[in-house]
């Protein structure tokens, strides 16, 4: 038996060819000249040679599929079954491409089948041909389709119309539901249908423990079927006698609602399930024009667009959340009765589908999420770069190929660091600057812009920390002034200096090294925490103004790090701290992923506790304040003796890991 396929190298086609070869048939596959390599690889997969799977050079959008006269003559009268699978199966494709492929491509396939004198024509349509019909759509219904405004729905309907009205070869039409991966392997070739929501599920999994219930939508019923069911059903039906002129719904007759589908895949992906699902019909009492007006408000449109873009969900997909159509499949059930070919239940194979997506189709797999890919050839400024977090960060940026600009107060040390970084093959430019001096900050900005033209990444790391209780600070107002000058005014001066060029280029990222103390309201650090809090507040306000201009901010609420800045407080030698390299890794993550904030879970918990139960948070911090004394230097003593640390202090510090005391 001889077969001809368009779309034979596509997702459904590659499985169908395998079934047809198992019948001992010879399969002719339409391919473009430049796609023959793809067919060669598929032959290896099928275990077939060129006598079993023959390439027919052509093009779907050309007359008679672009098949030359000699080949067409050789095929004439020899094709038993012509399968037309080639189409655009993409909700996000542009209308012109869908028109050319789905409609004109089908017309070319119909004409080619007639020119070959094919005995049967099998058209793979879609449930999309029903449009957004409200109610039950039967297999003998076609003209009743409604709401075909979306190009995908309209072109699938029109392509089926071409077959019904123009095809002179006996035809059969198949309308599969939303086709997803194979039930055994999970194999799928692209993100489509329910896959669009997998990234959202994955992000929720990363943000929340699996046991935390979430709130989501209920939605309509989406008809999802695995590719192996579709192919098995199509192969069986195509070879039956007496079924020409009929349409078959290859669907799940008991489909799941959107909310149920999301929960099934959430469980498969070990993500939190939606404990509460909101049915949009609850808002049916609101007049449609009011709902539409709210959706069209600029802030709502911006927010919706940003969220969908972050999740990788095309806006058009959201119009199918409340999918209104159910599909009757009595003809399909009749011809498949007793064959064992049936739609498996989604929970039984969802883990396989999820696993394949996460290993092969997750969009993040195809993004360069390395520091090198982010900063190579970009101008990155690091302040306070001669020790601690700043030095470790500069080393990572240097190794990643950044055009590195480093600044610090001590010229000799700055030269040493620059020489060490250059010895690693880095492009390093060192400029001395006291970032607590506003004139020096202005000069630094001018020098950098004159020499490099722009700044792509600014890491505000230079800072001053003072650990002293308020009881010992009544006569030390200058402590508050000097921390504010360096930690706040200096950083803001740099941001305001580099921002105009960032805004002009519509590209820039500011990383502020803040403190976990801002989240915990750490005692003894009132001067330090206040200055960092001011910078946090400034950055939030600036981000709100520049959000639509691609100039972004990340605040890192850094836990306790073992740097020269904490060296005077000897008690920190006995409590858990991060290494500078670990802290620099947090900075690298900030540069690559650009989150709004990076903080430890304990820091976030402290912030939430302070918001929900401020007195309780205050008592916890006061307990730590009383447990850990001021340093001898803060108390006015010159003793260099290391204070003794009790087991209670060690235990408390371990529980409150990373918090300043």
């Amino acid at each position: 038996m001889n077969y001809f396929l368009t779309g034979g190298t596509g997702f459904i086609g590659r499985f169908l060819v395998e079934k047809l070869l198992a019948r001992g048939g010879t399969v002719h596959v339409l391919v473009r000249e430049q796609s023959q390599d793809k067919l060669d690889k598929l032959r290896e997969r099928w275990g077939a040679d060129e006598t079993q799977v023959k390439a027919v050079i052509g093009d779907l959008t050309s007359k008679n599929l672009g098949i030359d006269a000699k080949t067409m003559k050789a095929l004439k009268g020899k094709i038993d079954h012509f399968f037309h699978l080639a189409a655009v199966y993409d909700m996000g494709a542009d209308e012109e491409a869908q028109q050319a492929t789905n409609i004109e491509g089908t017309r070319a396939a119909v004409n080619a089948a007639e020119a070959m004198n094919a005995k049967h024509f099998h058209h793979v349509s879609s449930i999309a041909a029903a449009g957004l019909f409200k109610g039950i759509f039967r297999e003998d219904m076609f003209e009743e389709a409604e709401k075909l405004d979306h190009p995908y729905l309209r072109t699938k309907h029109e392509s089926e119309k071409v077959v019904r009205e123009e095809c002179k070869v006996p035809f059969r039409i198949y309308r599969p539901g939303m086709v997803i991966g194979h039930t055994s392997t999970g194999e799928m070739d692209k993100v489509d249908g329910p896959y669009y929501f997998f990234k959202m599920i994955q992000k929720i999994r990363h943000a929340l423990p699996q046991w935390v219930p979430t709130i989501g939508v209920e939605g309509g019923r989406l008809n999802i079927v695995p590719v192996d069911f579709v192919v098995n059903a199509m192969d069986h039906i195509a070879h039956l006698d007496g079924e020409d002129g009929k349409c078959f719904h290859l669907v799940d007759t008991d489909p799941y609602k959107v909310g149920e589908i999301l929960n099934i895949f959430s469980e498969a992906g070990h993500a939190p399930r939606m404990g509460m699902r909101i049915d949009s019909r609850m808002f049916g009492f609101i007049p449609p024009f009011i709902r539409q007006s709210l959706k069209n408000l600029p802030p709502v449109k911006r927010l919706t667009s940003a969220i969908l873009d972050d999740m990788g969900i095309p806006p058009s997909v959201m119009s199918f959340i409340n999918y209104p159509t159910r599909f009757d499949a009595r003809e399909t059930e009749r011809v498949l009765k007793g064959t064992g070919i049936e739609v498996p239940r989604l929970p039984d194979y969802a883990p396989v589908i999820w696993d394949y997506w996460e290993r092969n189709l997750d969009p993040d797999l195809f993004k360069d999420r390395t520091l090198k890919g982010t900063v190579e050839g970009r101008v990155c400024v690091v302040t306070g770069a001669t020790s601690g977090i700043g030095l470790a960060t500069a080393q990572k940026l240097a190794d990643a190929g950044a055009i590195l600009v480093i600044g610090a107060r001590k010229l000799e040390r700055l030269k040493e660091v620059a020489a060490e970084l250059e010895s690693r093959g880095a492009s390093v430019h060192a400029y001395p600057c006291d970032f607590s001096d506003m004139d020096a900050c202005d000069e630094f900005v001018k020098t950098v812009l004159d020499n490099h033209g722009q700044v792509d990444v600014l890491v505000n790391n230079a800072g001053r920390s003072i650990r002293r209780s308020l009881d010992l600070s009544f006569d030390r107002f200058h402590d508050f002034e000097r921390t504010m000058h360096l930690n706040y005014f200096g950083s803001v001066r740099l941001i305001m200096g580099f921002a105009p060029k960032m805004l002009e280029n519509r590209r820039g990222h500011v990383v502020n090294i803040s403190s976990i103390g801002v989240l915990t309201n750490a005692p003894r650090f009132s001067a330090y925490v206040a200055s960092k809090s001011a910078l946090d507040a400034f950055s939030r306000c600036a981000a709100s103004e520049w959000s639509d201009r691609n100039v972004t901010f990340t605040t890192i609420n850094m836990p306790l790090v073992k740097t020269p800045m904490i060296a005077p407080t000897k008690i920190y030698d006995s409590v858990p701290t991060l290494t500078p390299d670990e802290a620099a890794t947090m900075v690298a993550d900030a540069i690559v992923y650009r989150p709004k904030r990076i903080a430890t879970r304990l820091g976030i918990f402290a912030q939430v506790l302070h918001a929900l139960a401020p007195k309780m948070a205050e008592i916890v911090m006061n307990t730590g304040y009383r447990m850990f004394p001021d340093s001898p230097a803060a108390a006015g003593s010159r003793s260099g003796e290391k204070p003794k640390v009790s087991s209670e202090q060690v235990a408390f510090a371990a529980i409150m890991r990373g918090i300043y005391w």
Side-chain angles (χ1 to χ4, degrees):
M1 194 165 286
N2 289 293
Y3 303 95
F4 186 96
L5 279 81
T6 69
T9 60
F11 180 56
I12 298 176
R14 71 185 68 152
F15 288 102
L16 181 59
V17 169
E18 192 171 2
K19 296 290 291 186
L20 300 178
L21 288 172
R23 289 178 174 272
T26 300
V27 182
H28 300 79
V29 179
L30 182 75
V31 292
R32 293 178 178 176
E33 183 77 40
Q34 61 269 31
S35 299
Q36 292 189 74
D37 288 347
K38 185 177 181 181
L39 185 60
D40 289 339
K41 292 177 182 177
L42 284 171
R43 284 195 187 102
E44 292 181 19
R45 166 179 168 152
W46 296 323
D49 57 31
E50 294 184 8
T51 64
Q52 295 169 290
V53 178
K54 298 183 177 182
V56 177
I57 306 302
D59 185 272
L60 188 68
T61 57
S62 301
K63 184 179 179 181
N64 278 350
L65 300 178
I67 302 172
D68 64 72
K70 182 180 178 182
T71 304
M72 185 65 78
K73 183 178 180 181
L75 292 172
K76 190 169 184 178
K78 296 181 180 178
I79 300 301
D80 299 291
H81 295 277
F82 187 118
F83 288 90
H84 177 49
L85 293 94
V88 174
Y89 299 97
D90 188 350
M91 297 295 298
D94 67 86
E95 185 170 0
E96 185 177 346
Q98 295 190 62
Q99 176 83 20
T101 303
N102 293 352
I103 301 177
E104 297 309 319
T106 299
R107 182 169 283 115
V110 166
N111 293 338
E114 292 173 2
M116 294 177 194
N117 287 339
K119 296 181 177 64
H120 300 279
F121 185 85
H122 303 276
H123 176 62
V124 182
S125 182
S126 166
I127 58 172
L132 296 178
F133 179 85
K134 190 172 183 179
I136 297 176
F137 203 81
R138 300 189 310 274
E139 289 157 306
D140 61 353
M141 294 170 67
F142 175 73
E143 296 293 347
E144 294 85 350
E146 58 189 25
K147 296 182 180 178
L148 295 161
D149 300 328
H150 192 282
Y152 181 70
L153 304 181
R154 184 169 61 257
T155 57
K156 294 305 290 183
H157 181 84
E158 290 298 320
S159 62
E160 189 174 315
K161 185 177 182 179
V162 168
V163 176
R164 290 174 177 272
E165 295 184 354
E166 301 178 23
C167 188
K168 297 180 177 62
V169 176
F171 64 83
R172 301 177 192 186
I173 295 172
Y174 309 89
R175 293 180 187 153
M178 296 181 183
V179 182
I180 62 173
H182 197 285
T183 57
S184 298
T185 65
E187 182 183 345
M188 180 63 174
D189 64 342
K190 63 185 176 67
V191 171
D192 194 19
Y195 290 87
Y196 284 125
F197 296 96
F198 284 15
K199 178 54 67 176
M200 176 187 73
I201 292 171
Q202 188 187 64
K203 284 179 177 287
I204 293 172
R205 182 186 71 191
H206 290 161
L208 297 171
Q210 188 176 1
W211 52 266
V212 176
T214 60
I215 299 175
V217 297
E218 181 71 322
R221 295 183 182 274
L222 295 184
N223 211 291
I224 294 174
V225 287
V227 65
D228 42 318
F229 162 74
V230 172
V231 168
N232 290 340
M234 195 185 308
D235 171 62
H236 176 77
I237 297 170
H239 292 89
L240 294 176
D241 294 328
E243 303 296 339
D244 290 333
K246 294 177 181 175
C247 177
F248 301 92
H249 282 166
L250 308 183
V251 297
D252 185 349
T253 54
D254 185 22
Y256 295 94
K257 292 182 178 180
V258 171
E260 294 172 325
I261 293 169
L262 293 179
N263 270 348
I264 289 169
F265 283 115
S266 292
E267 188 166 329
H270 306 289
R273 289 169 56 91
M274 295 183 298
M276 177 185 295
R277 302 199 298 266
I278 299 172
D279 194 325
S280 62
R281 289 176 297 182
M282 292 170 54
F283 305 100
F285 66 91
I286 302 176
F289 76 92
I290 294 180
R291 295 202 301 270
Q292 194 61 36
S293 298
L294 289 172
K295 285 169 60 178
N296 289 331
L297 287 174
V300 175
K301 291 177 70 175
R302 279 278 316 277
L303 185 61
T304 302
S305 177
I307 292 173
L308 293 180
D309 184 62
D310 184 53
M311 299 295 179
I313 302 173
S316 60
V317 171
M318 299 308 293
S319 60
F320 295 90
I321 289 292
N322 293 309
Y323 195 63
T325 316
R326 297 286 295 272
F327 294 92
D328 177 89
R330 63 188 65 187
E331 285 297 308
T332 302
E333 290 175 334
R334 173 181 62 80
V335 295
L336 294 182
K337 187 175 181 179
T339 63
I341 301 172
E342 58 185 17
V343 182
R345 303 310 293 158
L346 184 59
D348 294 337
Y349 65 96
V352 179
I353 300 297
W354 174 273
D355 184 69
Y356 188 89
W357 172 83
E358 199 157 40
R359 292 175 184 271
N360 299 278
L361 297 175
D362 181 354
D364 282 349
L365 296 174
F366 307 98
K367 295 178 182 177
D368 189 345
R369 295 293 193 181
T370 63
L371 186 61
K372 183 179 178 68
T374 305
V375 303
E376 188 174 25
R378 299 292 176 93
V379 180
C380 300
V381 175
V382 182
T383 66
T386 55
S387 67
I389 300 171
L391 176 57
T393 298
Q395 290 168 339
K396 287 185 181 295
L397 291 172
D399 293 343
I403 300 171
L404 183 60
V405 175
I406 57 175
R409 284 184 303 128
K410 298 177 181 178
L411 179 59
E412 289 305 314
R413 176 60 182 153
L414 195 61
K415 289 180 178 178
E416 290 175 10
V417 170
E420 186 270 325
L421 293 174
E422 286 174 345
S423 71
R424 302 161 76 130
S427 171
V428 184
H429 308 270
Y431 306 111
C433 182
D434 178 357
F435 294 104
S436 64
D437 182 329
M438 299 303 102
D439 291 336
C441 286
D442 291 343
E443 184 62 28
F444 179 82
V445 168
K446 183 177 185 305
T447 302
V448 172
L449 292 180
D450 285 347
N451 292 346
H452 306 286
Q454 64 188 47
V455 168
D456 299 293
V457 178
L458 168 62
V459 180
N460 278 318
N461 169 71
R464 181 191 301 276
S465 175
I466 295 177
R467 181 181 184 269
R468 182 177 282 111
S469 63
L470 288 172
D471 285 353
L472 301 176
S473 303
F474 295 137
D475 60 345
R476 297 183 62 88
F477 188 73
H478 62 280
D479 284 349
F480 297 87
E481 292 178 313
R482 59 182 181 162
T483 51
M484 192 62 77
H485 268 93
L486 179 56
N487 298 350
Y488 177 61
F489 289 124
S491 295
V492 170
R493 199 81 166 195
L494 296 183
I495 293 170
M496 297 296 282
F498 292 129
K501 198 65 179 178
M502 288 180 173
L503 293 167
E504 180 185 328
N505 294 339
R506 299 189 69 83
R507 185 181 72 234
H509 186 49
V510 178
V511 179
N512 293 323
I513 308 301
S514 186
S515 164
I516 193 174
V518 174
L519 305 179
T520 62
N521 307 299
R524 288 194 178 86
F525 288 91
S526 52
Y528 177 64
V529 167
S531 64
K532 291 296 187 181
S533 297
L535 182 59
D536 289 6
F538 169 86
S539 299
R540 290 195 300 270
C541 294
S544 297
E545 294 190 27
W546 299 338
S547 174
D548 59 340
R549 300 168 76 179
N550 200 33
V551 175
T552 55
F553 291 78
T554 296
T555 294
I556 303 180
N557 293 111
M558 196 70 74
L560 196 60
V561 181
K562 195 168 187 59
T563 66
M565 190 166 70
I566 72 166
T569 306
K570 300 302 181 183
I571 199 170
Y572 286 155
D573 293 342
S574 304
V575 300
T577 57
L578 291 184
T579 65
D581 189 67
E582 289 172 326
T585 297
M586 295 173 72
V587 179
D589 287 343
I591 294 171
V592 172
Y593 296 101
R594 294 192 173 197
K596 298 301 298 178
R597 181 183 301 278
I598 293 179
T600 64
R601 290 185 177 181
L602 185 58
I604 296 296
F605 175 76
Q607 186 180 40
V608 172
L609 181 64
H610 182 76
L612 300 178
K615 188 64 179 177
M616 183 183 298
E618 181 182 294
I619 291 170
V620 172
M621 300 308 291
N622 181 255
T623 301
Y625 170 69
R626 293 302 177 191
M627 187 175 291
F628 295 90
D630 279 277
S631 64
S637 170
R638 295 184 179 275
S639 171
E641 184 181 347
K642 184 176 179 179
K644 294 180 180 179
V645 181
S646 69
S647 57
E648 288 180 342
Q649 289 173 321
V650 171
F652 191 82
I655 294 172
M656 301 294 180
R657 183 180 177 88
I659 292 181
Y660 299 0
W661 298 107

